[in-house]
Amino acid sequence: MNMDSITVVLSFLVLLTCAPWCIYSEDRRLVNMTLVRNASSLGAYCLDGSLPAYHLDRGFGAGARNWLLQFEGGGWCNDIKSCLDRAQTRRGSTRYMSKVEVFSGILSNNASLNPDFYNWNRVKLRYCDGASFAGDAKFDNGTSLLYFRGQRIWQAILLDLLPKGLGQAKKALLSGCSAGGLATFLHCDNFTSYLPKNASVKCLSDAGFFLDERDIGLNHTMRYFYKDLVSLQGVEQNLNKNCTSSNLYPTQCFFPQYALPYIRTPFFILNSAYDVYQFHHALVPPAADPHGHWYHCKLNPAVCNAVQIYTLQGFRKYMLQTLRFFLISSRRGGMFINSCFAHCQSELQDTWFAPDSPRVNNKTIAQAVGDWYFGRNISKEIDCAYPCDNTCHNLIG
């Protein structure tokens, strides 16, 4: 047998041992960008004035009338300088965005990699406003011009998709990651209002449960950050009216923990109890650790000292406390709170659905979300505390 023949045989044996996973390891679903040409009629612009956009991968077969919309994430800007800087990047302008996106994880069109949603119409909404698709204002000092039009971008994309089949949806799921995950809390019920009354509509937030928690310096870093953001971008008018009318500080309704009790649509919360973004920017922001005592702990939780671990366990405890009412009282809700150091787990194939994906009670994230959406099983999974979970993909950074 020559070397070429040996190579073919070995390759075939490898495929047999790991199919179907490795067969598709290089199967990258590339989806082109669609600019929302009519957005200007609604005044819906990215920060720099460019048109908003999305990527649509059409459903097929039994999923042809089902829709999954995924908000892209990417942080926020809460002052003029940071928004001007952002406007010159892909986070504030479609001019700088990749025109083709890879669809993986919950966006995959492969039944072996995304068994419940692979044949749905899957849409990625590009993020270019800096306020979780919720602002409605404009800054113009004669020299600089910024459009804070996230709410109008959201509406413009919906209006573009409705005649393309979204308006006849039988099933729909609004999801998002990070700042996009927060956007699902802000827009969930509004999404439902656009769809047929008999449609099954639900919402999923991945790594979007940002907490109103003090940092290690006992400062409300995230609270003040969001307060400035809401004020600058004109967000308050678009927050849940029942929440703002019931809250002494209406701007706090930007936080999911305050908005969640007022959401009527079935909701699923996917989050790490040690969310890396919140760990690095909310719990231990650079300003609260000027001497870098947390530097090594941030890079590798295995080297955190006893005090640091205690602080991290306190963060987890507070997250579970804020979710306790939802856990007990929400009959139609679901959750998957694992103990991995990660941020956004639904769009990565390795964490969404793969042989070594993170598990809680032996369920992958994809299985938990599918069980919840389709009502196959009660799906409220809460992991034990770090470091007990050996299925984690600790995505530090």
Side-chain angles (χ1 to χ4, degrees):
M1 183 180 291
N2 61 32
M3 287 303 296
D4 288 341
S5 299
I6 292 172
T7 301
V8 170
V9 171
L10 288 175
S11 298
F12 180 69
L13 289 174
V14 169
L15 289 178
L16 284 179
T17 59
C18 69
W21 307 101
C22 59
I23 293 176
Y24 299 107
S25 63
E26 299 301 323
D27 180 16
R28 290 156 56 87
R29 183 66 173 181
L30 303 175
V31 182
N32 290 322
M33 174 186 281
T34 299
L35 287 174
V36 184
R37 299 292 179 184
N38 293 331
S40 56
S41 65
L42 296 175
Y45 301 108
C46 297
L47 284 171
D48 72 330
S50 58
L51 292 175
Y54 60 84
H55 301 251
L56 165 62
D57 195 20
R58 283 287 186 180
F60 54 92
R65 290 188 61 185
N66 301 334
W67 287 76
L68 189 156
L69 274 63
Q70 175 91 346
F71 284 118
E72 183 180 29
W76 311 270
C77 61
N78 72 335
D79 57 37
I80 296 301
K81 182 184 184 305
S82 63
C83 290
L84 284 172
D85 291 342
R86 188 181 180 97
Q88 299 177 55
T89 72
R90 65 187 179 93
R91 297 300 186 198
S93 172
T94 49
R95 295 186 179 100
Y96 303 108
M97 289 181 182
S98 58
K99 303 305 183 282
V100 177
E101 280 287 292
V102 176
F103 273 29
S104 62
I106 196 172
L107 295 175
S108 172
N109 72 330
N110 190 302
S112 299
L113 304 177
N114 186 26
D116 285 312
F117 306 106
Y118 73 97
N119 60 356
W120 287 32
N121 296 281
R122 286 150 289 107
V123 189
K124 185 170 187 175
L125 284 62
R126 300 307 298 268
Y127 183 36
C128 64
D129 64 279
S132 290
F133 295 84
D136 194 0
K138 186 171 76 170
F139 172 79
D140 184 358
N141 66 357
T143 303
S144 301
L145 175 63
L146 288 168
Y147 292 94
F148 303 128
R149 298 288 174 80
Q151 182 73 21
R152 300 191 197 196
I153 289 172
W154 160 240
Q155 293 168 344
I157 292 176
L158 280 183
L159 293 175
D160 205 63
L161 291 172
L162 288 171
K164 294 182 178 180
L166 179 62
Q168 289 77 48
K170 288 186 174 180
K171 294 182 174 68
L173 176 62
L174 181 66
S175 63
C177 153
S178 190
L182 193 153
T184 64
F185 288 100
L186 303 179
H187 295 300
C188 183
D189 286 341
N190 179 246
F191 179 57
T192 301
S193 70
Y194 280 91
L195 301 183
K197 297 295 183 186
N198 61 349
S200 172
V201 185
K202 301 185 180 185
C203 301
L204 158 69
S205 169
D206 175 10
F209 198 72
F210 293 93
L211 291 170
D212 181 20
E213 170 70 312
R214 292 179 185 268
D215 63 29
I216 58 169
L218 301 182
N219 298 305
H220 283 289
T221 296
M222 290 302 292
R223 181 184 294 184
Y224 293 128
F225 182 91
Y226 282 163
K227 182 181 179 181
D228 290 343
L229 182 156
V230 169
S231 175
L232 175 71
Q233 296 219 29
V235 173
E236 185 175 333
Q237 62 190 312
N238 298 317
L239 297 176
N240 186 293
K241 298 294 188 291
N242 291 323
C243 180
T244 55
S245 63
S246 304
N247 200 306
L248 185 61
Y249 304 102
T251 59
Q252 289 187 18
C253 292
F254 195 76
F255 279 103
Q257 68 195 77
Y258 303 120
L260 181 61
Y262 301 97
I263 297 174
R264 299 183 302 275
T265 306
F267 210 100
F268 191 100
I269 298 171
L270 163 60
N271 229 93
S272 166
Y274 309 97
D275 181 89
V276 170
Y277 183 92
Q278 295 195 65
F279 172 17
H280 290 189
H281 300 280
L283 181 63
V284 192
D289 184 33
H291 302 295
H293 295 306
W294 283 76
Y295 177 78
H296 294 292
C297 177
K298 282 185 173 183
L299 293 177
N300 180 7
V303 303
C304 297
N305 63 39
V307 172
Q308 291 167 336
I309 290 294
Y310 181 80
T311 302
L312 289 167
Q313 302 297 21
F315 184 83
R316 171 183 179 269
K317 183 178 180 181
Y318 180 63
M319 179 178 289
L320 296 181
Q321 284 176 345
T322 62
L323 287 170
R324 181 170 174 77
F325 180 80
F326 178 75
L327 173 68
I328 295 172
S329 66
S330 176
R331 291 177 297 164
R332 299 186 299 165
M335 63 170 65
F336 190 100
I337 309 296
N338 61 5
S339 293
C340 306
F341 285 82
H343 182 69
C344 289
Q345 301 176 88
S346 63
E347 288 185 27
L348 296 174
Q349 194 60 56
D350 286 348
T351 48
W352 172 248
F353 191 63
D356 64 343
S357 288
R359 283 169 164 75
V360 177
N361 297 324
N362 205 33
K363 269 190 184 182
T364 64
I365 294 168
Q367 290 168 328
V369 172
D371 283 352
W372 161 76
Y373 188 93
F374 294 100
R376 296 189 294 247
N377 283 301
I378 294 173
S379 195
K380 292 180 177 177
E381 313 296 340
I382 299 178
D383 210 350
C384 48
Y386 174 82
C388 74
D389 190 341
N390 60 9
T391 70
C392 281
H393 290 220
N394 288 325
L395 309 172
I396 298 292

